[in-house]
Amino acid sequence: MLNTELKEKIKKIIISELNLFDIDPLDIGDDDPLFGDKFGLDSIDAVELVFQVKHHFGVEIKDMNEGRPALQSVNTLTAYITKRLST
Amino acid sequence: MNRVKPVSVTGMGCLCAAGLNLKSCMDFLFAGKRHPAPPRGFCSDQEILYPVFEILDDFFNPDLFNEPHVLRTGQLALTAALEAVINAGVGRKRLKQQQVGVCIGTNVAGSVQNKQIQNGSLSENFPYILPVDRFKVSDPAFHIAREFELSGPFQTIVNACSAGGDAIGIGASWIRSGLCDMVIAGGTDALYPITYRGFISLMNCDDGPCKPFDAHRKGLNLGEGAAIMILESDTCRKKRGKAPEAFILGYGSAADAWHFTAPARDGKGLCMAIEEALNMAGLSASDIAFINAHGTGTLDNDRIESQVFSSLFPNIPFLSTKGYVGHTLGAAGAIEAVFSIEYLKQGRIPSSVGFTNPDSELSACPVQKITEIFGKTALSDTLAFGGNNSVLVIGMEGD
Amino acid sequence: MPVIIRGIGVVGGFGSGINALMQALQTGKVSPKPMIIDSVNGSIETGGFPADLSPLTEFIPLKALRRIDHYTQMALLGCYLALKDADMIQSRPCPMGIIVATGYGSTCNRFDFVDPLSVNDDICYSPTKFSNSVHNAAAAHISVFLKEYGPNLSVNHFDMSIPSAFLTAFQWLEEKRLDAVMVGGVDEYSKVMGYYGHFMKSPLLTGEGSAFFLLTRCNDNSLGYGCIRDIKMGNLKNGNINFPQNAIAVLNTDGYGISDQRYEKYIPENVQVASYVDLYGNLPVGMGFDIAIAALGLKEKKMYASSGNIFHYFAPSKIIGTEKQLDFQEICCLKLSTTDQFGMVTLSPTSSSR
């Protein structure tokens, strides 16, 4: 999958699976902190994202020591998934 | 609330991974043993098999029961209830004649068992079991009321991890108010694949044996079991010449009102529940000989409890038993209350197994060896998923 | 000091709010809506009484509800409507206890109709869905939204959940543990029951909804709907239920077949009976709606004409078939469980002395 396609897919997953119905993919900047004030996400959203990453990409994040840096932004998540899929 | 009348405990029953009855559980705990292992009762396609505390022995004897056709959660409840009833020296005939209530805590009241139940034939019009039929095989309070032909009020509490403790607290209020002569109160929960996978998906589980309060703790291990107390009015037990085993002196509960899964960082709900329980018991923190903590082994839970204990109960010994039996969810509050009574009787508490490395962020640490206790009163607390905090004050002396 | 019903919040096929329930009582009819049920045997269309939750945004912004499922949303709406009815949204006795009763629980439809041959059943284990499947989820969310730190209880005992919950609420107030308790019940539309009712041509359609009550201890006779005088639970096998002699009976004849025939045996000769199940349908916490209707009856000093399937089981002279004026009468709501248990909640007018 191309990088841009992957980012787009990730944004759509974030919106649909976290039920952010008032947000458009265009509203999510690639470097926006996912767990800052902009989107109002919390710890349960973080584990939900971990679950959805496994569900949609087959990539398992083992614990939040690994998860925290990966889930910082769409860019970090894209890089993490890309790296895991290539190994 | 002001000080209330203590409620007698006249019988107890318990089974879990540590043993199939209360005595064998105690022997196991004081021997410092524990055997967490990957689940064997069901298959899991998880890549990592997180350890659990499963009852591997065939514990249920259907010949002992009039109504044995129940699912595993019910089997656990019935087995513990029968031990408690025998321990209390009260026969089935007397149970039928008295006003006896049932108050049981469980995690999902067996509803997660639906997925197994409904794997029936797909070719019929009704491959699905009706809700009332599901209830009849899965609700533990109903099973106990039906088994012993009881005539009093009944309640199944589904307060997640604090359900067992809440059931005992509420059952005690039924005795105090004169609603019941006796209450069969406690908690039960069996291990199920859905619960197992659900907690793993929450990233709340340790992939090794859990380490409550330890610096390297990573989460909980699930367990299964049941514990039942017979609560009895003084009038009723004196009439049949039964001395109490212990007393429920106080009960407190309060919500964190913070988040539907994470506990409040300041432990506000736990502090409120402790205050209520101590007020009901007419006691202060310094009267407490030891605390049976919830101590799940998760980062948040153990940090909050440690913080509250060091603030409210400085230098009072505490332990978690979840390193021995796992987190038994709806049964936990009841199992730990029953254990606390046994510890008071023996004048000692086992080590808080799994704890070896103090966490510099925690201001209080549990006991690392078998510890003698001085005093006749204990506190047992449970912190539930969803933010409910439940506290029991238990003692060897009533008025 | 009596335990008073200060506010009522109801949500069901009739609409939402006590006024919507009153209108349904006045017309005696609620039109069912079409319900599509997908099953392994194909889709069926049947009727039912679904709840409309759009009024919830009056109290909670839509964005804040993103993780709240239908079950909990019904409970939240019931609570907020009860608080609004009591004029206690902003200020109320503190702490307030919260008790949520449910028959099916929060997993009502979660595991039904899931193809057991499917290997991809991961959806069950989504952390958010799993967290919401724990039966105390509704009570937990209510405490978070209302910022209530008081005792929080969830009860799941099928069709005895409502009397069981009221029993604890009453006890908490009687023993002065609290000055206020929000107690109620919630159940989702059960697809299994809808499916079953469709093929069995059941006269009573499946419903869903919530009924919540704000109870306080209060000496002021001018406030609220009426008192909760007594709650009883027990086993039918032990004989008489001791139905209060001069009360009006509101019976939860919910169409679970055999249990409805038994009501006649337990109601005294002189007692008049009513049923309103056709206004909200078949659901285990339906007795909550009966308590709301009884409370409304005490406040209005009249009982509305029955609209339930009670006419098969009692002589016409015994049934409240037209509007009836009340004169300081008690109303007793009775539910006979399919498992030989019973629950009774007796309400009396506020001007009765205890």
Side-chain angles (χ1 to χ4, degrees):
Chain A
M1 194 186 286
L2 288 175
N3 221 16
T4 44
E5 278 177 13
L6 180 55
K7 284 186 194 179
E8 202 54 32
K9 184 168 179 183
I10 287 170
K11 289 178 186 179
K12 283 183 177 154
I13 288 168
I14 288 171
I15 287 168
S16 66
E17 302 297 353
L18 302 185
N19 218 11
L20 300 173
F21 48 80
D22 58 339
I23 288 180
D24 187 86
L26 291 170
D27 298 327
I28 307 179
D30 293 356
D31 280 314
D32 281 345
L34 291 176
F35 292 89
D37 292 332
K38 187 173 180 182
F39 305 114
L41 304 185
D42 64 13
S43 57
I44 192 84
D45 293 310
V47 289
E48 184 66 38
L49 266 184
V50 167
F51 172 79
Q52 297 297 342
V53 163
K54 183 172 180 205
H55 185 62
H56 287 278
F57 303 107
V59 168
E60 186 165 358
I61 298 174
K62 296 251 184 296
D63 57 46
M64 289 317 277
N65 287 333
E66 204 178 308
R68 223 165 273 116
L71 296 174
Q72 285 301 304
S73 66
V74 169
N75 269 342
T76 57
L77 189 51
T78 305
Y80 179 83
I81 292 170
T82 307
K83 184 179 172 190
R84 287 288 303 271
L85 288 177
S86 65
T87 55
Chain B
M1 264 184 90
N2 296 328
R3 186 177 180 180
V4 301
K5 191 169 165 20
V7 171
S8 300
V9 179
T10 51
M12 297 185 288
C14 178
L15 68 160
C16 59
L20 298 187
N21 53 59
L22 186 51
K23 182 182 183 315
S24 55
C25 290
M26 282 296 113
D27 292 344
F28 191 90
L29 262 59
F30 282 105
K33 300 185 211 177
R34 64 177 183 157
H35 302 305
R40 280 187 251 178
F42 53 84
C43 294
S44 174
D45 55 3
Q46 290 279 126
E47 209 177 285
I48 300 170
L49 290 176
Y50 289 76
V52 295
F53 286 86
E54 210 169 355
I55 301 174
L56 295 172
D57 296 317
D58 196 8
F59 64 88
F60 188 65
N61 182 352
D63 295 336
L64 298 176
F65 301 99
N66 296 324
E67 304 276 0
H69 302 293
V70 301
L71 296 177
R72 192 171 171 88
T73 301
Q75 291 174 355
L76 290 165
L78 283 174
T79 305
L82 185 61
E83 184 189 354
V85 161
I86 292 169
N87 181 236
V90 60
R92 284 176 181 260
K93 190 174 167 189
R94 186 182 284 272
L95 287 175
K96 274 175 72 169
Q97 289 166 347
Q98 305 282 165
Q99 179 76 347
V100 182
V102 186
C103 196
I104 302 295
T106 185
N107 189 28
V108 204
S111 290
V112 284
Q113 299 167 85
N114 294 345
K115 197 161 193 291
Q116 293 161 287
I117 295 170
Q118 62 94 27
N119 286 353
S121 163
L122 295 178
S123 60
E124 302 156 20
N125 259 337
F126 306 112
Y128 310 106
I129 305 277
L130 286 185
V132 68
D133 294 320
R134 263 183 238 157
F135 167 75
K136 281 180 176 174
V137 293
S138 60
D139 184 278
F142 169 65
H143 299 148
I144 292 172
R146 180 180 60 178
E147 175 64 33
F148 295 105
E149 298 176 90
L150 305 177
S151 55
F154 33 84
Q155 189 167 82
T156 305
I157 292 174
V158 288
N159 263 19
C161 320
S162 72
D166 288 316
I168 291 170
I170 285 173
S173 75
W174 292 356
I175 299 288
R176 278 199 309 274
S177 68
L179 189 65
C180 296
D181 301 315
M182 285 188 211
V183 178
I184 299 179
T188 178
D189 254 316
L191 270 171
Y192 283 107
I194 286 173
T195 327
Y196 178 71
R197 288 190 61 172
F199 272 92
I200 290 169
S201 78
L202 281 163
M203 301 181 86
N204 258 348
C205 296
D206 196 323
D207 57 0
C210 64
K211 307 169 202 55
F213 299 101
D214 191 88
H216 305 305
R217 66 191 187 279
K218 291 202 280 184
L220 56 90
N221 300 148
L222 287 173
E224 62 179 357
I228 298 286
M229 286 187 189
I230 307 298
L231 305 175
E232 194 166 355
S233 72
D234 285 341
T235 311
C236 189
R237 67 163 183 83
K238 281 174 185 170
K239 208 167 162 184
R240 64 186 190 93
K242 177 78 174 81
E245 300 279 324
F247 297 88
I248 304 299
L249 301 175
Y251 162 62
S253 72
D256 283 342
W258 168 249
H259 188 272
F260 75 115
T261 58
R265 289 188 198 116
D266 58 3
K268 176 173 176 172
L270 179 57
C271 292
M272 287 175 65
I274 288 171
E275 185 184 349
E276 184 181 25
L278 287 174
N279 283 343
M280 276 180 85
L283 296 172
S284 63
S286 57
D287 295 313
I288 300 297
F290 71 88
I291 302 167
N292 192 119
H294 190 51
T296 54
T298 63
L299 292 170
D300 284 341
N301 178 86
D302 295 0
R303 181 175 38 76
I304 288 158
E305 279 194 290
S306 174
Q307 176 185 304
V308 169
F309 295 160
S310 77
S311 165
L312 298 182
F313 301 97
N315 304 315
I316 290 179
F318 69 92
L319 78 153
S320 168
T321 45
K322 291 187 171 69
Y324 293 106
V325 306
H327 190 352
T328 52
L329 302 175
I335 288 177
E336 289 161 20
V338 160
F339 283 177
S340 296
I341 290 175
E342 284 297 310
Y343 304 152
L344 284 171
K345 281 162 124 182
Q346 295 192 27
R348 56 177 188 155
I349 53 176
S351 69
S352 190
V353 75
F355 172 76
T356 42
N357 306 292
D359 184 342
S360 57
E361 285 187 14
L362 301 193
S363 30
C365 295
V367 298
Q368 282 184 279
K369 56 184 170 79
I370 295 175
T371 302
E372 202 180 344
I373 47 155
F374 304 96
K376 295 288 180 193
T377 322
L379 187 139
S380 180
D381 71 300
T382 41
L383 284 69
F385 206 72
N388 194 51
N389 301 268
S390 175
V391 174
L392 290 169
V393 175
I394 295 162
M396 298 307 290
E397 285 162 4
D399 284 336
Chain C
M1 211 185 279
V3 171
I4 307 262
I5 300 175
R6 293 291 295 278
I8 300 177
V10 283
V11 182
F14 50 83
S16 59
I18 198 72
N19 290 335
L21 182 59
M22 194 163 18
Q23 274 175 16
L25 285 163
Q26 285 164 350
T27 60
K29 190 172 159 43
V30 172
S31 299
K33 300 212 167 40
M35 307 293 290
I36 310 287
I37 302 174
D38 293 320
S39 77
V40 291
N41 292 328
S43 267
I44 58 148
E45 182 176 317
T46 184
F49 297 110
D52 171 21
L53 298 180
S54 52
L56 184 54
T57 50
E58 178 191 337
F59 307 106
I60 302 175
L62 202 56
K63 194 168 173 175
L65 294 170
R66 68 177 173 92
R67 285 190 299 221
I68 312 295
D69 61 16
H70 184 73
Y71 168 80
T72 296
Q73 287 196 27
M74 285 195 290
L76 280 166
L77 181 54
C79 282
Y80 272 100
L81 287 171
L83 286 172
K84 183 179 178 183
D85 191 43
D87 196 18
M88 286 191 183
I89 289 187
Q90 298 306 327
S91 157
R92 54 188 172 267
C94 176
M96 180 179 79
I98 293 168
I99 304 177
V100 176
T102 178
Y104 298 133
S106 55
T107 57
C108 178
N109 295 308
R110 186 143 295 140
F111 305 115
D112 295 321
F113 301 97
V114 169
D115 182 354
L117 298 176
S118 166
V119 290
N120 186 19
D121 58 355
D122 269 353
I123 201 65
C124 302
Y125 310 115
S126 142
T128 311
K129 287 188 167 66
F130 177 72
S131 302
N132 278 326
S133 79
V134 182
H135 287 329
N136 69 333
H141 283 296
I142 291 166
S143 76
V144 173
F145 277 104
L146 294 181
K147 281 271 163 282
E148 281 294 345
Y149 300 98
N152 191 292
L153 194 73
S154 297
V155 171
N156 181 351
H157 201 81
F158 200 56
D159 51 10
M160 290 287 102
S161 300
I162 285 281
S164 173
F166 268 81
L167 181 70
T168 298
F170 188 78
Q171 289 252 300
W172 283 359
L173 290 164
E174 279 271 284
E175 64 188 12
K176 297 189 177 66
R177 186 181 182 195
L178 296 161
D179 293 328
V181 178
M182 176 68 73
V183 59
V186 53
D187 268 321
E188 275 187 280
Y189 178 92
S190 163
K191 291 180 186 170
V192 170
M193 288 312 298
Y195 189 84
Y196 175 80
H198 177 79
F199 282 101
M200 298 301 283
K201 297 184 175 27
S202 170
L204 185 63
L205 297 173
T206 301
E208 68 173 4
S210 70
F212 275 83
F213 303 80
L214 180 57
L215 306 183
T216 65
R217 287 178 298 118
C218 184
N219 260 332
D220 186 342
N221 287 339
S222 66
L223 294 174
Y225 289 80
C227 304
I228 305 281
R229 184 181 67 71
D230 188 36
I231 299 124
K232 258 203 197 71
M233 295 177 76
N235 195 311
L236 293 174
K237 287 181 178 163
N238 297 332
N240 197 354
I241 64 173
N242 295 318
F243 191 91
Q245 282 291 332
N246 298 312
I248 285 175
V250 177
L251 307 178
N252 193 248
T253 50
D254 66 359
Y256 247 117
I258 189 171
S259 47
D260 290 353
Q261 293 164 335
R262 296 175 296 171
Y263 280 98
E264 197 187 1
K265 180 179 165 190
Y266 297 99
I267 304 299
E269 195 63 45
N270 61 314
V271 163
Q272 284 207 284
V273 300
S275 172
Y276 302 97
V277 293
D278 280 2
L279 302 181
Y280 52 80
N282 170 319
L283 68 163
V285 295
M287 191 184 181
F289 294 120
D290 290 343
I291 295 171
I293 292 166
L296 202 50
L298 288 178
K299 188 173 183 183
E300 304 280 301
K301 294 188 171 51
K302 64 181 170 193
M303 286 304 289
Y304 291 92
S306 289
S307 50
N309 60 339
I310 197 171
F311 297 93
H312 303 300
Y313 309 117
F314 290 92
S317 56
K318 226 172 142 56
I319 299 171
I320 297 177
T322 54
E323 216 171 86
K324 173 188 164 71
Q325 293 303 312
L326 290 184
D327 188 23
F328 292 116
Q329 251 171 310
E330 290 192 330
I331 303 175
C332 180
C333 299
L334 172 64
K335 173 72 185 173
L336 300 184
S337 164
T338 49
T339 52
D340 287 337
Q341 297 164 328
F342 73 90
M344 283 197 304
V345 177
T346 304
L347 286 74
S348 62
T350 44
S351 47
S352 295
S353 56
R354 287 181 52 79

